[in-house]
């Protein structure tokens, strides 16, 4: 397809082809060349892909509600569904001669592609729905991108939270999508209920309290046609993300930290009527900030690895493809352990956080700012 046709099919707000296509990056994977948009531009979502004659839209950004009582009725007018938000990594799976898994920023991840083929077995789905994409969260303690633990997941799994037309991005209605997922045996996030906006507040609060007690992430609230969405997350998630950010203080940006403190403050104002509870929460927040940072300073002083630790499992070919893919993205990795279990390799590695390691080392040696 030529650039003009591609621009029309993308339905972009860009007026000429150059305006948009200069922002696309040329990449290769599995011997195929494709073009990916690394950041949202001209009405086109981040991670949008053009591969041969096929367009695969990026997954849209989901706005965040800060105050449930005000945000839900002002954002939603019609009936809505509340689903669990799982803490993992966003993957789109589209069939382009074969199923390919794209990350949020539009890379084909060979490891995720191979694991998705094995665990979801999407061939039947794509035979009947060739132009749709599965929008999936890769979750569990053993993934190369996130490590959130879920009691029911030993290693990793793929949970389908959306099914969209791959070119227009138009979603299936929530209940149709859930039915389709059951039909094909795809795991999916739990549905807490359907509500009118004015009645949803109590339902969302109850879901959040229950999820928080189980240290789970939060909810995504969606209109029944699937088009409008908003997210809301738990206290335990805020603390987990702050602990993560402060464990790598010079790699995680200040915006990352500030936005999470703001959401924590608005939630505390809405949920904690009791002063003692608020004080306990403040104490836990302080621990989430200070303890991981001190641990990282001490680890640096003791010459330990500084960075995020991951464990992945798969066939030796899948593991090799993954490591090559991560090295291609200029990550510095330390491979700590490789073990075997039946036909699978289990690899523990650290994505080294060089800025944090080097900055802390400097302060420890020089003692001045
Ligand atoms: P965003 O750009 O949408 O703000 P983000 O990268 O900051 O994305 P999050 O804050 O984690 O991501 O929230 C959005 C992501 O939540 C979605 O892209 C999707 O991967 C994930 N998610 C998990 N469960 C669901 C669900 N039930 N419905 C929709 N998205 C879900």
């Amino acid at each position: 397809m030529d650039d003009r046709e591609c621009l029309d099919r993308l339905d972009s707000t860009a007026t000429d082809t150059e305006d948009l296509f200069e922002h696309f990056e040329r990449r290769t994977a599995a011997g195929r060349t494709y073009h990916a948009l690394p950041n949202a531009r001209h009405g086109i979502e981040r991670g949008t892909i053009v591969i041969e004659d096929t367009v695969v839209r990026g997954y849209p950004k989901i706005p965040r509600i800060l105050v449930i009582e005000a945000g839900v009725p002002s954002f939603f007018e019609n009936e809505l569904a509340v689903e669990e938000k799982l803490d993992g990594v966003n993957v789109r799976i589209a069939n382009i001669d074969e199923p390919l898994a794209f990350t949020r920023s539009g890379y084909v991840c060979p490891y995720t592609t191979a694991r998705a083929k094995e665990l979801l077995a999407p061939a039947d789905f794509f035979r009947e729905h060739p132009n749709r994409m599965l929008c999936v969260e890769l979750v569990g303690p053993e993934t190369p991108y996130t490590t959130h633990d879920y009691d029911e997941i030993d290693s990793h799994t793929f949970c389908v939270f959306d099914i969209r037309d791959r070119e227009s991005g138009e979603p299936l209605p929530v209940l149709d999508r859930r039915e389709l997922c059951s039909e094909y045996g795809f795991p999916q996030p739990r549905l807490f209920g359907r509500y009118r906006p004015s009645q949803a507040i109590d339902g969302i609060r109850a879901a959040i309290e229950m999820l928080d007690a189980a240290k789970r992430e939060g909810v995504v609230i969606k209109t029944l046609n699937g088009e409008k969405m908003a997210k809301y997350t738990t206290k335990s998630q805020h603390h987990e993300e702050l602990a993560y950010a402060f464990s790598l203080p010079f790699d995680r940006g200040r915006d990352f930290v500030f936005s999470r403190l703001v959401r924590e403050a608005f939630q505390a104002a809405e949920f904690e009527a009791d002063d003692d509870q608020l004080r306990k929460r403040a104490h836990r927040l302080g621990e989430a900030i200070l303890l991981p940072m001190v641990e990282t300073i001490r680890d640096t002083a003791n010459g330990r690895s500084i960075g995020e630790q991951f464990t992945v499992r798969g066939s030796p070919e899948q593991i090799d493809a993954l490591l090559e893919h991560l090295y291609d993205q200029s990550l510095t990795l330390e491979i700590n352990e490789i073990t075997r279990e039946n036909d699978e390799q289990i690899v523990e590695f650290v994505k080294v956080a060089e800025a944090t390691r080097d900055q802390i080392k400097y302060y420890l040696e020089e003692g001045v700012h």
Side-chain angles (χ1 to χ4, degrees), residues 320-362:
D320 284 351
L322 172 68
L323 295 178
E324 200 181 315
H325 175 68
L326 297 176
Y327 283 125
D328 276 353
Q329 295 185 14
S330 308
L331 292 173
T332 305
L333 305 182
E334 277 176 24
I335 313 289
N336 286 341
E337 203 177 327
I338 305 182
T339 49
R340 264 189 173 278
E341 220 177 82
N342 305 321
D343 291 343
E344 287 191 324
Q345 255 183 4
I346 301 154
V347 179
E348 282 180 26
F349 66 90
V350 174
K351 288 184 192 165
V352 178
E354 289 176 332
T356 294
R357 182 196 60 193
D358 296 348
Q359 195 73 33
I360 292 179
K361 230 175 176 170
Y362 171 79

Side-chain angles (χ1 to χ4, degrees), residues 46 59-64 83-91 104 136-137 161-162 177 189-190 217 219-220 222 229 231 233 241 260 263:
R46 168 180 172 223
Y59 196 73
K61 195 162 173 48
I62 303 183
R64 174 178 295 277
E83 275 189 334
E84 178 165 2
K85 179 180 193 315
L86 294 161
D87 183 6
V89 61
N90 178 300
V91 177
R104 194 78 194 271
V136 171
E137 199 76 354
F161 59 79
D162 213 340
R177 180 248 301 164
R190 88 180 100 165
E217 182 175 10
V219 294
V220 182
K222 308 177 175 185
M229 300 185 276
K231 62 195 175 195
T233 46
E241 288 192 8
R260 278 147 187 86
R263 61 183 82 140

Side-chain angles (χ1 to χ4, degrees), residues 164-332:
R164 294 181 170 242
D165 181 276
R166 66 187 184 189
E167 182 164 322
S168 68
E170 193 189 328
L172 279 183
V174 172
L175 301 181
D176 296 352
R177 180 248 301 164
R178 295 191 66 89
E179 206 175 301
L180 208 55
C181 284
S182 311
E183 204 180 298
Y184 286 94
F186 296 150
Q188 49 182 326
R190 88 180 100 165
L191 174 69
F192 286 105
R194 288 165 54 184
Y195 308 92
R196 302 229 42 93
S198 57
Q199 294 157 348
I201 295 163
D202 289 345
I204 295 170
R205 282 185 68 126
I208 286 295
E209 275 165 4
M210 194 251 277
L211 290 167
D212 185 50
K215 299 205 173 343
R216 297 173 79 105
E217 182 175 10
V219 294
V220 182
I221 308 154
K222 308 177 175 185
T223 48
L224 289 186
N225 64 10
E227 274 171 17
K228 223 173 161 189
M229 300 185 276
K231 62 195 175 195
Y232 189 80
T233 46
T234 59
K235 171 178 65 182
S236 63
Q237 180 70 14
H238 304 161
H239 291 185
E240 184 182 315
E241 288 192 8
L242 284 164
Y244 157 71
F246 279 100
S247 73
L248 306 174
F250 301 105
D251 285 81
R252 283 292 136 225
R254 286 167 200 216
D255 290 351
F256 183 97
V257 167
F258 184 69
S259 61
R260 278 147 187 86
L261 286 171
V262 167
R263 61 183 82 140
E264 173 65 356
F266 274 95
Q267 188 173 75
E270 191 173 10
F271 277 63
E272 311 296 357
D274 178 296
D275 276 355
D276 281 349
Q277 286 300 332
L278 181 59
R279 198 161 289 281
K280 275 192 195 138
R281 184 169 179 146
H283 187 120
R284 280 206 296 276
L285 175 64
E287 288 187 345
I289 291 174
L290 191 62
L291 299 183
M293 202 156 157
V294 171
E295 193 179 325
T296 303
I297 294 171
R298 291 190 173 145
D299 281 350
T300 309
N302 292 325
R304 297 211 181 92
S305 304
I306 302 300
E308 281 179 90
Q309 174 140 2
F310 296 89
T311 302
V312 286
R313 66 172 62 223
S315 68
E317 297 74 38
Q318 290 170 1
I319 299 287
D320 284 351
L322 172 68
L323 295 178
E324 200 181 315
H325 175 68
L326 297 176
Y327 283 125
D328 276 353
Q329 295 185 14
S330 308
L331 292 173
T332 305

Side-chain angles (χ1 to χ4, degrees), residues 10-49:
L10 283 166
D11 198 21
S12 162
T13 54
T15 43
D16 75 75
T17 51
E18 189 60 4
D19 259 5
L20 181 62
F21 292 117
E22 68 175 350
H23 301 294
F24 272 79
E25 285 177 5
R26 189 169 182 277
R27 298 177 185 162
T28 51
R32 301 167 77 167
T33 300
Y34 63 98
H35 292 84
L37 190 63
N39 293 301
R41 296 266 170 183
H42 299 293
I44 308 296
E45 296 80 5
R46 168 180 172 223
T48 295
I49 304 288

